Amino acid sequence: MKLNYDKKSKDPTYFIQMGIRNGKKTTTKNVARIGKHSELLKITDDPLSYAKEQVRIYNEEHKKNKTLALDLKIDFNEKIKATDAVTSLSTDKNIGYFFLQYIYGKLEISSFFKNITEDRKIEFNPNLVNRFITFSRIIDPDSKLGSFQKMSNYYEQPDFDYMHIMRTMDLMKDHYDEYISYLYEKSCSIIKRNTSVCYYDCTNYYFETECEDEDYVDEVTGEFIKGLRKYGPSKEHRPNPICEMGLFMDAEGIPLSMCISSGSDNEQTTAIPLEKKLTKMLQGKKFIYCADAGLGSLNIRNFNSMGGRAFIVTQSVKKLSSMLQEAVFNDCDYKLLSSNKHISLNYMKTFDRKNPDNLSLYNDHAYKIIDADKAFDVGLYEEKICKNGKVKKVKSKATLKQKIIISFSRKMMEYQRYIRNRQIERAKKLLENIDPETYKKGPHDVTRFIKRISKSKAEENGSDTYILDKEAIEKEEKYDGFYAVATNLDDDAKSILEISMNRYKIEDCFRIMKTNFDARPVYHSTLNRIIAHFMICYTALLIYRILEKLLEEKGYHFSVYNIIETIRNMNVSNIQDMCYMSNYTCSQVCTALNEITGLELDKQYYLPKTLNGKIKLISK
């Protein structure tokens, strides 16, 4: 701050003036009045020297106490400046994204874009575009156009056009594999990546269209290119074209790599190609492949029996051969998971769970290990090419070194029976007023417990009748409480089952992308833009997961909603370009985020230069 006065005036008024830089705008404000020259002559012989001394004292107090007295003038008749916009916009600016920028900056994504564009004449900043489109995906997810229209909500107010978003997406798609590998490499410098176990799963995303893409042959290369948006088995049962995402994550639930494939492709075909890329990215490090039964085909298990890798995949007890099922239900050789003591399966099913002494047993599991080297015994198939050239699946006769770990939980058994009993009650109500014309039996809905008895037309009442299928109920009850995993590891059963039970973390990743980041429906139609859209979602997920991991390392545990809502609500108001006032409260999440980043975004007021300095520091 400096002294300001009119040097041409005979009786000047002395002010303490502050220079303000607010974005690209630079201005000055008089923050305090020292007094007129004639007034100061009453208390000093040299008013100018006195005024300079007051400025010096004011600056020292400001540096020491971080306080500033501002002289504000408010005109209640002043009107808001008119604009050509149809709707009014909020003038509040979000600074919560500074926490996301802290992680983004440490990932050094700006260096990646600098490297891939150094030989190009690009007039816009692709890193700036990617940065704020990624932040928008976390804070306020919308379409790319919707996000572009909300760029003024951020403190920095980034300046780029909508077409720059599209061009940045094309650029990202052209460097897809490089980008994914780069993110992994840089994330290792922020947190320790635990890649001893790599979890894999697939999900699908629907599009806001009713027409699928057609396959075509490239006229130049002659390459057959399959359409990405295809009709397939949607997990949400929507009648829209879908695409499929395969995602690898590490043992901590942080994403490692991903792939995007056609919605009509078998998800099992996506695992090995992506795993080869992952192996290269991890520089040949050994890891355990862990997935559910749908991604544990014979080819996948064989692939993960080589190169020092191993596999743990869930195994359907119902698909085991009759010989192995007999071993599962044979009440011998079962042990408690906690102590390895022998336990009777019958006792696990019948002990008094209301007795407080049995609480630990109620929470425990009984387990048994069964050798299953024959692929036929675990219901695996292999593809066989017929003489006519068609490919069909047949039960495999191959051998594969593996074992099945069977576990039984009393708690799980009672939960499954509770769910089934409710479904049976719904089936009984359905039987009271069933319409034969609309009856359709499903594999997982309540109608699987309804049995149709057909009558010939010769009988008096030739229409079909429906009854409760008690045989189907008893058959399903037999498997209650049982859980199985197949593995080629020689580790103890407890550690293997613990690894398998952490598969929920990858489902949590999908839930965050779909629910919190609104990754679907997808509004893009071209291949480049669709894949780039998921690259942005992947970046957002990685940044969020790293932020979450840093919080956990400090002992903080918050829900996804609480973290994102706190960042979204951290807005500030501009007070006549002199300072910014916080419009948010200091919550537990806010305190924790400030602790791990050191940004100190818990003040009531901020000078523009203070916020500018923070964003400059974390954007290097």
Side-chain angles (χ1 to χ4, degrees):
M1 283 167 279
K2 61 181 181 179
L3 180 65
N4 178 41
Y5 65 97
D6 187 357
K7 296 179 180 179
K8 295 180 179 180
S9 175
K10 294 182 179 180
D11 188 16
T13 303
Y14 298 102
F15 294 95
I16 298 175
Q17 189 180 75
M18 178 175 64
I20 300 170
R21 179 180 292 277
N22 189 1
K24 295 180 180 180
K25 183 180 178 182
T26 302
T27 185
T28 57
K29 291 283 184 180
N30 293 331
V31 296
R33 181 180 182 275
I34 300 174
K36 274 192 172 186
H37 186 86
S38 57
E39 295 171 349
L40 296 178
L41 283 172
K42 298 177 182 179
I43 58 175
T44 180
D45 295 333
D46 189 355
L48 181 59
S49 298
Y50 175 82
K52 289 180 179 179
E53 179 64 17
Q54 292 301 308
V55 173
R56 186 188 66 79
I57 294 172
Y58 196 92
N59 283 329
E60 286 183 357
E61 288 183 354
H62 172 62
K63 289 179 181 179
K64 182 179 179 181
N65 302 320
K66 297 294 183 182
T67 59
L68 183 67
L70 299 178
D71 185 13
L72 296 178
K73 292 183 180 180
I74 300 176
D75 182 2
F76 289 100
N77 292 320
E78 183 180 0
K79 291 187 177 182
I80 302 171
K81 291 181 180 179
T83 65
D84 295 332
V86 177
T87 58
S88 297
L89 300 175
S90 172
T91 57
D92 286 355
K93 305 302 175 188
N94 182 273
I95 62 170
Y97 78 90
F98 283 25
F99 296 124
L100 305 178
Q101 175 58 42
Y102 175 81
I103 306 297
Y104 189 96
K106 286 188 173 294
L107 288 171
E108 299 180 27
I109 299 177
S110 59
S111 298
F112 173 82
F113 282 103
K114 184 178 180 180
N115 293 335
I116 65 174
T117 58
E118 60 183 357
D119 296 331
R120 300 192 182 194
K121 293 182 179 180
I122 294 180
E123 297 179 353
F124 65 97
N125 185 349
N127 176 63
L128 182 69
V129 175
N130 181 58
R131 184 156 69 97
F132 281 96
I133 289 298
T134 301
F135 297 161
S136 297
R137 184 55 53 184
I138 300 173
I139 297 173
D140 189 11
D142 204 336
S143 65
K144 301 301 178 295
L145 179 59
S147 297
F148 170 72
Q149 293 170 340
K150 298 175 184 177
M151 285 296 123
S152 60
N153 294 344
Y154 297 97
Y155 174 76
E156 290 178 81
Q157 300 184 56
D159 183 20
F160 53 80
D161 295 330
Y162 177 68
M163 67 174 182
H164 295 152
I165 299 177
M166 300 296 106
R167 292 179 63 186
T168 299
M169 294 177 75
D170 292 338
L171 188 66
M172 293 175 69
K173 167 58 178 67
D174 292 340
H175 298 84
Y176 175 87
D177 291 329
E178 299 169 58
Y179 185 76
I180 299 296
S181 298
Y182 184 87
L183 289 180
Y184 166 74
E185 179 187 343
K186 293 302 178 181
S187 67
C188 293
S189 62
I190 306 174
I191 55 172
K192 186 177 180 180
R193 302 299 299 267
N194 181 2
T195 57
S196 59
V197 182
C198 295
Y199 295 88
Y200 184 67
D201 203 357
C202 291
T203 191
N204 48 52
Y205 296 84
Y206 71 92
F207 291 80
E208 199 64 33
T209 183
E210 296 179 358
C211 301
E212 67 175 2
D213 293 335
E214 295 183 358
D215 304 334
Y216 65 94
V217 177
D218 191 291
E219 296 180 354
V220 178
T221 63
E223 179 186 3
F224 175 78
I225 299 176
K226 188 175 184 179
L228 191 61
R229 300 180 299 173
K230 290 284 188 180
Y231 290 112
S234 171
K235 294 185 179 181
E236 296 171 326
H237 307 290
R238 291 179 178 270
N240 302 86
I242 59 174
C243 74
E244 193 167 67
M245 170 189 275
L247 181 69
F248 265 111
M249 74 169 195
D250 65 14
E252 303 295 335
I254 303 171
L256 286 169
S257 185
M258 72 158 188
C259 67
I260 304 297
S261 58
S262 174
S264 61
D265 286 350
N266 185 340
E267 62 181 12
Q268 293 182 356
T269 61
T270 64
I272 294 177
L274 184 58
E275 193 173 350
K276 288 179 179 178
K277 291 182 180 180
L278 180 66
T279 304
K280 184 179 179 181
M281 190 173 75
L282 298 180
Q283 299 178 347
K285 291 181 182 178
K286 298 178 182 179
F287 61 85
I288 300 170
Y289 170 90
C290 187
D292 59 24
L295 290 160
S297 66
L298 179 62
N299 289 339
I300 294 173
R301 297 189 196 193
N302 276 327
F303 182 76
N304 286 287
S305 298
M306 303 180 294
R309 294 183 299 275
F311 66 83
I312 299 174
V313 294
T314 58
Q315 172 65 49
S316 171
V317 178
K318 295 179 182 179
K319 291 184 178 181
L320 295 175
S321 65
S322 56
M323 181 180 70
L324 290 186
Q325 284 202 25
E326 185 179 343
V328 170
F329 298 118
N330 188 3
D331 195 358
C332 66
D333 297 330
Y334 274 98
K335 298 178 182 179
L336 283 176
L337 196 62
S338 60
S339 62
N340 267 340
K341 292 182 179 179
H342 287 278
I343 187 74
S344 166
L345 200 59
N346 184 58
Y347 181 72
M348 286 288 291
K349 293 180 179 180
T350 57
F351 70 82
D352 183 11
R353 73 175 183 86
K354 295 183 179 180
N355 188 339
D357 295 335
N358 292 331
L359 181 60
S360 60
L361 186 61
Y362 183 67
N363 292 321
D364 209 342
H365 293 74
Y367 80 93
K368 174 193 285 191
I369 299 176
I370 305 172
D371 289 328
D373 292 341
K374 294 182 180 179
F376 172 82
D377 287 335
V378 292
L380 294 178
Y381 290 80
E382 59 185 359
E383 293 182 346
K384 182 180 179 181
I385 301 176
C386 303
K387 292 181 179 179
N388 59 2
K390 291 185 178 180
V391 178
K392 69 175 183 178
K393 286 187 175 182
V394 296
K395 284 193 173 181
S396 176
K397 296 180 181 179
T399 57
L400 177 67
K401 184 185 177 183
Q402 63 178 352
K403 58 185 178 183
I404 307 295
I405 301 176
I406 306 293
S407 68
F408 175 82
S409 168
R410 170 72 177 273
K411 183 187 287 187
M412 180 57 68
M413 181 190 76
E414 292 185 355
Y415 170 75
Q416 289 174 335
R417 290 188 176 176
Y418 168 75
I419 296 296
R420 185 181 299 103
N421 288 336
R422 294 185 64 180
Q423 291 177 335
I424 291 171
E425 291 302 317
R426 288 170 58 198
K428 288 179 180 178
K429 290 181 180 180
L430 192 61
L431 279 170
E432 294 175 2
N433 191 26
I434 195 166
D435 184 0
E437 299 297 328
T438 60
Y439 171 75
K440 186 177 181 182
K441 193 171 183 179
H444 301 296
D445 58 29
V446 297
T447 56
R448 70 184 186 278
F449 299 132
I450 298 176
K451 184 178 181 179
R452 181 172 62 186
I453 301 176
S454 301
K455 292 185 178 181
S456 63
K457 294 182 180 180
E459 298 182 41
E460 294 183 6
N461 298 322
S463 60
D464 296 342
T465 58
Y466 300 88
I467 61 172
L468 198 66
D469 193 345
K470 294 183 178 179
E471 185 180 344
I473 295 172
E474 291 175 0
K475 186 177 179 181
E476 193 171 300
E477 277 185 350
K478 184 172 66 170
Y479 299 98
D480 287 348
F482 286 97
Y483 177 78
V485 297
T487 182
N488 58 352
L489 288 169
D490 294 325
D491 297 13
D492 60 282
K494 186 176 181 179
S495 61
I496 291 173
L497 290 174
E498 284 177 353
I499 290 173
S500 181
M501 288 177 182
N502 280 332
R503 288 184 301 105
Y504 77 91
K505 292 181 181 179
I506 199 164
E507 293 293 345
D508 197 37
C509 287
F510 290 141
R511 181 184 60 80
I512 291 171
M513 282 198 286
K514 289 185 176 183
T515 304
N516 301 100
F517 296 169
D518 287 353
R520 83 300 185 239
V522 185
Y523 298 101
H524 299 284
S525 58
T526 62
L527 178 67
N528 285 4
R529 307 281 167 77
I530 292 170
I531 293 179
H533 165 75
F534 287 110
M535 291 173 72
I536 292 167
C537 294
Y538 177 87
T539 309
L541 178 65
L542 179 64
I543 289 173
Y544 172 78
R545 281 301 202 191
I546 292 176
L547 190 67
E548 194 176 54
K549 178 63 178 175
L550 292 176
L551 287 170
E552 289 177 359
E553 288 177 350
K554 293 290 186 178
Y556 296 108
H557 300 278
F558 302 109
S559 68
V560 181
Y561 172 81
N562 288 335
I563 294 174
I564 295 178
E565 190 68 11
T566 297
I567 293 173
R568 180 184 295 127
N569 291 336
M570 292 182 67
N571 297 318
V572 292
S573 294
N574 187 340
I575 301 178
Q576 295 187 9
D577 285 336
M578 289 191 289
C579 69
Y580 286 91
M581 183 180 71
S582 299
N583 294 335
Y584 56 91
T585 58
C586 189
S587 61
Q588 294 180 27
V589 177
C590 180
T591 302
L593 290 172
N594 279 305
E595 181 180 339
I596 64 171
T597 60
L599 289 175
E600 297 183 347
L601 295 178
D602 53 0
K603 304 294 191 294
Q604 185 65 47
Y605 298 97
Y606 303 96
L607 288 171
K609 69 176 183 180
T610 303
L611 293 178
N612 293 339
K614 291 180 186 295
I615 200 66
K616 185 177 180 180
L617 180 66
I618 58 180
S619 298
K620 291 182 179 179

